[in-house]
Amino acid sequence: MRVPGGEWLGSDAVSRLQVVSGKGGTGKTTVAAALALALAREGKRTLLVEVEGRQGLAQLFGAEALPYEERKIAVAPGGGGEVFALAIDAERALLDYLQMFYKLGSAGRALKKLGAIDFATTIAPGLRDVLLTGKACEAVRRKDKAGRYVYDHVIMDAPPTGRITRFLNVNDEVAGLARFGPIHNQAQAVMKVLKSPETAVHLVTLLEEMPVQETADGIEELRQAGLPVGRVVVNMVRPHHLDEDTLRAAAGDHRTEVARALSRAGLGGARRGGLAERLVDPLLTQAAEHASRVELERAQRTVLTDLDLPTYELPLLGAGVDLAGLYELAKELRKQTVAE
């Protein structure tokens, strides 16, 4: 179901800021982490940024809570690429902002003690989102003394789909309110990154009606706001165990045939009340449920195809997602890119 749409992981021209969003419960944090590992290839350095304060990344990588500083948390297999992570704190970002533009280092710390920083980031409309996106964009633009980018890619574990457009576009609102000065310039610089080819916003979904519909709505909102839409990642895809003929047969009543088959398999005689007969109803129920789910997933795939975006699929990991699972998902992303 992949739609040709240019390189994602296999080219140096790939967008340097990768924003990952998705409806709650779709596993967007897991996908963001796997994407960071997939991009950290052949010596590349990626920065994985968390903006919601949930410490979800630390849990995935089995690390301690992330501080407000960039910390290496993983090494990508093959080529020695490195993954760094940062949990952006709005209060600390505001202190950085005050120091950067107004040289209020000590005064800013005094304001924090008085509670003014917490008040500003909690009450001021849009200020928190400006600070969070601004810090991520600063990491995208940062260069070392030799003029090389410190990070080849920055991956942001962003807010859910229902809030992503407003989160990324809030700088336009601030730029409209403050028409000159440092705040205006900062907002404009951030939007220059967010609306450029340097950025791609990916949406994570499941093959279920509500997540798919929210994905479609989110893509439309992003496009209307002029924000660059990237890929759709279908997460937690379950395998199909039945072939087409069996799926069609699952909708009918085949009690007698199933009971006889169980009997031939050595699961007791087909007599009334026997083990084979007791297994018939549960098996038929499971088969019908599986067939129904396959049909639903096909319908949702059709909706996703109509979005005309490159689409990737990641499998459901039966044992749950741990560090080994992240590496497995990263490998799957790389494999699908090569096959594109």
Side-chain angles (χ1 to χ4, degrees), residues 149-170:
Y149 286 115
V150 173
Y151 295 106
D152 297 287
H153 303 286
V154 175
I155 299 88
M156 180 192 294
D157 178 20
T161 312
R163 204 168 79 81
I164 186 61
T165 300
R166 183 176 180 183
F167 173 77
L168 295 176
N169 210 39
V170 71

Side-chain angles (χ1 to χ4, degrees), residues 102-145:
Y102 297 101
K103 309 302 180 185
L104 293 178
S106 59
R109 289 190 292 274
L111 289 172
K112 178 175 175 61
K113 291 181 180 179
L114 293 173
I117 300 298
D118 180 63
F119 176 82
T121 56
T122 303
I123 303 300
L127 177 58
R128 174 178 288 269
D129 291 349
V130 172
L131 295 169
L132 297 174
T133 53
K135 184 68 176 178
C137 289
E138 181 276 325
V140 172
R141 299 190 301 260
R142 193 189 313 160
K143 295 183 178 181
D144 60 20
K145 294 181 179 179

Side-chain angles (χ1 to χ4, degrees), residues 14-272:
V14 66
S15 300
R16 298 192 58 252
L17 175 59
Q18 308 269 331
V19 180
V20 180
S21 180
K23 179 177 171 57
T26 59
K28 67 179 181 63
T29 299
T30 298
V31 172
L35 178 57
L37 283 169
L39 286 166
R41 70 194 195 282
E42 300 169 0
K44 301 289 186 180
R45 288 163 55 98
T46 64
L47 175 64
L48 188 52
V49 174
E50 182 177 75
V51 299
E52 294 186 279
R54 296 185 296 105
Q55 290 293 337
L57 294 175
Q59 295 175 28
L60 276 174
F61 284 94
E64 296 179 357
L66 296 174
Y68 184 69
E69 60 185 29
E70 290 146 29
R71 171 188 294 177
K72 185 167 75 172
I73 59 173
V75 175
E82 298 176 320
V83 177
F84 290 75
L86 167 67
I88 302 179
D89 177 83
E91 292 185 19
R92 292 287 299 276
L94 180 54
L95 289 174
D96 287 350
Y97 179 89
L98 293 174
Q99 172 61 22
M100 184 183 303
F101 292 108
Y102 297 101
K103 309 302 180 185
L104 293 178
S106 59
R109 289 190 292 274
L111 289 172
K112 178 175 175 61
K113 291 181 180 179
L114 293 173
I117 300 298
D118 180 63
F119 176 82
T121 56
T122 303
I123 303 300
L127 177 58
R128 174 178 288 269
D129 291 349
V130 172
L131 295 169
L132 297 174
T133 53
K135 184 68 176 178
C137 289
E138 181 276 325
V140 172
R141 299 190 301 260
R142 193 189 313 160
K143 295 183 178 181
D144 60 20
K145 294 181 179 179
R148 296 170 299 195
Y149 286 115
V150 173
Y151 295 106
D152 297 287
H153 303 286
V154 175
I155 299 88
M156 180 192 294
D157 178 20
T161 312
R163 204 168 79 81
I164 186 61
T165 300
R166 183 176 180 183
F167 173 77
L168 295 176
N169 210 39
V170 71
N171 295 279
D172 265 353
E173 299 176 21
V174 173
L177 294 172
R179 300 191 178 279
F180 56 86
I183 295 178
H184 171 84
N185 295 337
Q186 167 75 353
Q188 293 286 47
V190 169
M191 291 311 301
K192 184 177 180 180
V193 173
L194 292 179
K195 290 191 174 183
S196 76
E198 284 188 287
T199 299
V201 184
H202 310 300
L203 297 182
V204 182
T205 186
L206 305 178
L207 286 176
E208 298 173 5
E209 187 173 357
M210 288 185 64
V212 168
Q213 184 58 54
E214 190 163 315
T215 297
D217 294 342
I219 290 170
E220 180 62 25
E221 290 178 2
L222 288 166
R223 286 171 170 167
Q224 289 181 358
L227 291 161
V229 181
R231 265 68 174 165
V232 172
V233 180
V234 183
N235 195 25
M236 293 186 271
V237 176
R238 289 173 288 188
H240 294 168
H241 300 293
L242 305 179
D243 59 32
E244 290 299 319
D245 290 340
T246 307
L247 283 173
R248 285 192 293 270
D253 183 5
H254 301 277
R255 290 180 53 82
T256 302
E257 294 94 322
V258 172
R260 289 173 178 170
L262 291 172
S263 179
R264 288 194 299 271
L267 295 176
R271 66 185 182 280
R272 184 173 182 81

